[in-house]
């Protein structure tokens, strides 16, 4: 009888330990920028060396139908942090440009939006964002920081509030110049024709035009041109800077050993919190252009500077995994790796080198809702809880991370709003066989562009792409 009682106590203790280990883990979320699903060895690449990222696949679950909520940085990251389609939070633009380009922009992720970092912080987690933010900084003043990461649940921030742009790296061209050239041609032509016409009619006597008016027109055109030149000349200093919390610590941004600095900050954050639960979002600048790689990786890959950048990012992932092993945190930490959208396949450097990635067999790339623009890597590792070496061939979304880690942290999901993501743990642990996503909607900025349908009683996933206007005019809804 005593032996039976002892065994019951032991079993209760074991159950208690297992229950604890399967909840409230620390969380590390690794997000690449513009990485193609075909750039990784675990997704079929045989020439780029990504052994550390591949290790996540070997020791965890590989999501084969992992979908970004948007093919552009800003809306995709907003959806990732909130678990909601970006159009719900106002982070989907109606204009052609669907991302933030300037640090002085007044827009950003609304303060009323609830991020997973806010909810985990309330549960006592130490939280940090290292790397790219791209969801705004200020509202009405240059120092109110209403959209800053520290206003959205992060205790610590080290990185860029906007994004990595060609204009930030000398010699890499400009993302604005062609657009400015195209948009300024017609206004310059109109201005020139107007001035010449006024001068001509004044000369032949058809209309008396005060020379002062002509002078003012010429002066306005000249000032506008000077302002434009001044902006481009000083763009790096105005828009490309590195911050720690609310302080600018490097202006303009230097790319020298930048990934190593980001990695060092991430490792140090983990080391500061070995005895506490933490949330670390390491948001790489790789492989968004302007491409860069440190001396140890430059010229070492088989795919030029793009390949060098991928392999340096893989090294960084290895450093994160190593520090978890060093402090015996691997079994207590959920690690997730993804990209914010597919590779930008049309990227060509100013010297003519291809700077875009590889989306495997999938058509299209970044900024399109073809499969190559939204199907992204999805790797999750949690030893002892998630089966190692498994593949999950069900539709999942980067929005699913929100409810997954919020529930694991034993926080309450918001009840006052729609959460579009679904908890991944039942799928990852094999408790259910089918994803809760019967439909996944894909927007081009604020306009519905495609719908993914996974019928509950069939196996295939259908990706239907329509021009919304023609679909609705015929009474056809993408389903």
């Amino acid at each position: 009888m005593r032996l039976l009682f002892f065994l019951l106590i032991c079993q209760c203790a074991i159950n208690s330990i297992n229950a604890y280990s399967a909840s409230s883990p620390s969380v590390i979320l690794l997000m690449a920028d513009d990485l193609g699903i075909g750039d990784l060895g675990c997704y079929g690449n045989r020439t780029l060396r990504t052994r550390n990222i591949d290790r996540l696949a070997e020791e965890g679950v590989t999501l084969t139908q992992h979908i970004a909520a948007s093919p552009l940085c800003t809306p995709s990251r907003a959806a990732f942090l909130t678990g909601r389609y970006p159009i719900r939070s106002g982070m989907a633009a109606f204009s052609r440009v669907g991302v933030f380009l300037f640090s002085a922009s007044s827009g950003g992720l609304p303060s009323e939006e609830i991020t997973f970092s806010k909810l985990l912080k309330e549960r006592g987690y130490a939280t940090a964002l290292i790397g790219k933010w791209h969801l705004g900084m200020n509202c009405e003043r240059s120092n109110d920081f209403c959209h800053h990461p520290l206003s959205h649940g992060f205790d610590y921030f080290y990185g860029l509030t906007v994004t990595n742009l060609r204009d930030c790296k000398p010699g890499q061209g400009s993302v604005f110049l062609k657009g400015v050239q195209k948009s300024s041609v017609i206004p310059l032509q109109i201005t020139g024709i107007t001035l010449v016409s006024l001068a001509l009619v004044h000369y032949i006597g058809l209309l008396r035009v005060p020379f002062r008016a002509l002078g003012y027109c010429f002066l306005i055109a000249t000032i506008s041109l000077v302002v434009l030149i001044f902006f481009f000349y000083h763009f790096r200093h105005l828009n490309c800077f590195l911050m720690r919390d609310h302080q600018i610590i490097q202006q303009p941004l230097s790319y020298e050993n930048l990934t190593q600095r980001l990695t060092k900050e991430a490792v140090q954050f983990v080391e500061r919190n070995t005895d506490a639960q933490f949330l670390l979002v390491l948001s790489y600048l790789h492989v968004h252009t302007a491409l860069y790689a440190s001396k140890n990786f430059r010229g070492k890959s088989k795919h030029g500077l793009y390949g060098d950048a991928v392999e340096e990012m893989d090294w960084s992932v290895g450093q994160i995994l190593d520090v978890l092993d060093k402090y015996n945190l691997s079994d207590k930490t959920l690690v997730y790796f993804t990209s914010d959208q597919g590779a930008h396949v049309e990227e060509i450097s100013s010297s003519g080198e291809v700077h875009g990635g590889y989306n495997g067999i999938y058509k299209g790339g970044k900024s399109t809702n073809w499969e190559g623009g939204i199907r992204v890597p999805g790797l999750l590792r949690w030893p002892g809880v998630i089966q190692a070496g498994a593949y999950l061939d069900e539709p999942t979304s980067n929005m699913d991370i929100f409810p997954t880690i919020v529930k694991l942290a034993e926080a309450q999901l918001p009840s006052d709003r729609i959460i579009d993501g679904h908890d991944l743990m039942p799928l990852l642990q094999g408790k259910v066989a089918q994803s809760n996503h019967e439909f996944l909607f894909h927007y081009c900025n604020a306009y519905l562009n495609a719908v993914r349908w996974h019928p509950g009683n069939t196996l295939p996933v259908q990706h239907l792409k329509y021009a919304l206007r023609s679909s609705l005019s015929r009474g056809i809804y993408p389903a």
Side-chain angles (χ1 to χ4, degrees):
M1 188 67 182
R2 290 181 179 178
L3 178 60
L4 179 60
F5 183 69
F6 175 75
L7 291 174
L8 286 172
I9 292 176
C10 289
Q11 185 61 46
C12 289
I14 291 170
N15 290 341
S16 177
I17 291 171
N18 289 337
Y20 177 77
S21 65
S23 64
S24 303
S26 292
V27 179
I28 295 180
L29 307 176
L30 307 169
M31 178 171 279
D33 197 351
D34 294 0
L35 179 72
I37 193 171
D39 288 326
L40 302 177
C42 53
Y43 283 95
N45 193 294
R46 294 293 175 262
T47 52
L48 284 174
R49 296 166 294 187
T50 57
R51 63 182 184 87
N52 294 298
I53 298 173
D54 297 344
R55 178 184 163 192
L56 290 174
E58 293 166 3
E59 299 176 0
V61 173
T62 300
L63 307 178
T64 62
Q65 295 192 47
H66 198 46
I67 308 299
S70 173
L72 288 172
C73 304
T74 294
S76 177
R77 291 164 184 268
F80 171 65
L81 281 163
T82 63
R84 290 152 51 83
Y85 288 111
I87 196 168
R88 296 193 192 278
S89 60
M91 297 301 286
F94 286 93
S95 61
R96 183 176 180 182
V97 179
V99 299
F100 291 114
L101 295 175
F102 306 106
S103 59
S105 299
S106 60
L109 186 64
S111 302
E112 58 268 21
E113 284 298 316
I114 299 175
T115 61
F116 54 63
S117 47
K118 282 183 180 179
L119 297 176
L120 267 64
K121 183 176 180 179
E122 291 173 359
R123 292 292 299 166
Y125 277 65
T127 58
L129 172 69
I130 295 171
K132 173 177 170 176
W133 173 240
H134 211 182
L135 291 170
M137 184 163 68
N138 299 311
C139 288
E140 298 178 358
R141 302 184 305 277
S142 61
N143 61 350
D144 61 22
F145 300 112
C146 69
H147 300 306
H148 191 275
L150 298 192
S151 298
H152 283 286
F154 291 102
D155 299 318
Y156 181 70
F157 171 65
Y158 179 90
L160 281 67
T161 57
V162 190
T163 188
N164 175 27
L165 294 168
R166 288 188 179 280
D167 303 72
C168 295
K169 189 178 181 184
Q172 293 299 308
S174 171
V175 298
F176 300 108
L177 194 55
K178 286 186 178 180
V180 170
Q181 287 174 339
K182 288 181 180 179
S183 60
S184 61
V185 168
I186 293 178
L188 286 175
Q189 288 177 340
I190 292 174
T191 301
I193 291 172
T194 300
L195 289 174
V196 171
S197 299
L198 289 174
L200 184 61
V201 297
H202 179 82
Y203 178 76
I204 63 179
L206 292 177
L207 178 68
R208 290 187 59 82
V209 181
F211 278 102
R212 181 176 295 181
L214 291 174
Y216 283 147
C217 291
F218 181 77
L219 181 63
I220 291 172
T222 302
I223 291 175
S224 299
L225 186 61
V226 169
V227 168
L228 198 62
I229 294 172
F230 178 86
F231 169 76
F232 279 109
Y233 185 78
H234 291 280
F235 179 88
R236 286 186 64 234
H237 189 80
L238 294 172
N239 213 52
C240 309
F241 51 81
L242 186 68
M243 296 188 77
R244 176 178 280 115
D245 293 335
H246 290 148
Q247 299 297 318
I248 295 176
I249 60 173
Q250 188 177 63
Q251 188 176 24
L253 172 70
S254 169
Y255 288 88
E256 187 67 28
N257 298 325
L258 180 55
T259 299
Q260 295 177 2
R261 284 180 276 152
L262 296 175
T263 304
K264 182 180 178 181
E265 290 284 337
V267 168
Q268 289 177 342
F269 174 78
V270 173
E271 291 177 333
R272 291 196 300 269
N273 293 283
T274 54
D275 296 325
Q277 293 164 323
F278 62 84
L279 165 69
L280 168 63
V281 179
L282 177 50
S283 178
Y284 292 104
L285 276 64
H286 288 318
V287 279
H288 194 293
T289 50
L291 292 179
Y292 68 96
S294 64
K295 183 178 179 181
N296 292 339
F297 296 91
R298 200 175 303 132
K300 300 296 176 63
S301 79
K302 296 180 180 179
H303 291 279
L305 188 54
Y306 183 90
D308 299 341
V310 172
E311 293 186 359
E312 182 171 27
M313 178 172 60
D314 179 74
W315 163 84
S316 174
V317 172
Q319 297 298 298
I320 301 302
L321 299 182
D322 287 346
V323 76
L324 293 179
D325 291 340
K326 178 180 178 180
Y327 292 100
N328 298 316
L329 296 174
S330 296
D331 293 346
K332 305 173 185 177
T333 307
L334 173 67
V335 180
Y336 167 73
F337 179 90
T338 192
S339 177
D340 55 357
Q341 64 260 329
H344 198 175
V345 294
E346 299 172 349
E347 273 292 296
I348 305 295
S349 73
S350 55
S351 61
E353 181 183 0
V354 175
H355 276 188
Y358 178 53
N359 292 316
I361 64 173
Y362 304 113
K363 178 180 179 178
K366 177 182 178 178
S367 80
T368 77
N369 275 313
W370 296 114
E371 202 74 4
I374 53 179
R375 188 178 292 220
V376 293
L379 305 170
L380 292 110
R381 188 196 77 164
W382 188 2
V385 179
I386 295 176
Q387 182 183 352
Y391 289 84
L392 184 57
D393 193 28
E394 285 288 311
T396 57
S397 168
N398 64 351
M399 296 184 293
D400 296 336
I401 298 304
F402 179 94
T404 301
I405 64 175
V406 167
K407 287 186 177 181
L408 285 173
E410 299 179 341
Q412 292 294 319
L413 287 173
S415 59
D416 62 342
R417 63 199 65 199
I418 294 174
I419 302 297
D420 298 298
H422 297 289
D423 183 8
L424 287 174
M425 288 307 294
L427 271 174
L428 296 174
Q429 295 183 301
K431 295 178 180 179
V432 298
Q434 187 159 351
S435 167
N436 286 327
H437 289 293
E438 181 178 1
F439 295 99
L440 281 169
F441 298 92
H442 307 297
Y443 290 83
C444 180
N445 289 338
Y447 303 97
L448 184 61
N449 194 228
V451 177
R452 179 180 300 266
W453 180 29
H454 185 31
N457 58 348
T458 57
L459 292 178
V461 175
Q462 302 178 39
H463 185 182
L464 307 179
K465 199 168 190 295
Y466 287 88
L468 183 60
R469 181 180 298 175
S470 63
S471 299
L472 296 182
S473 66
R474 296 180 308 205
I476 299 173
Y477 294 85

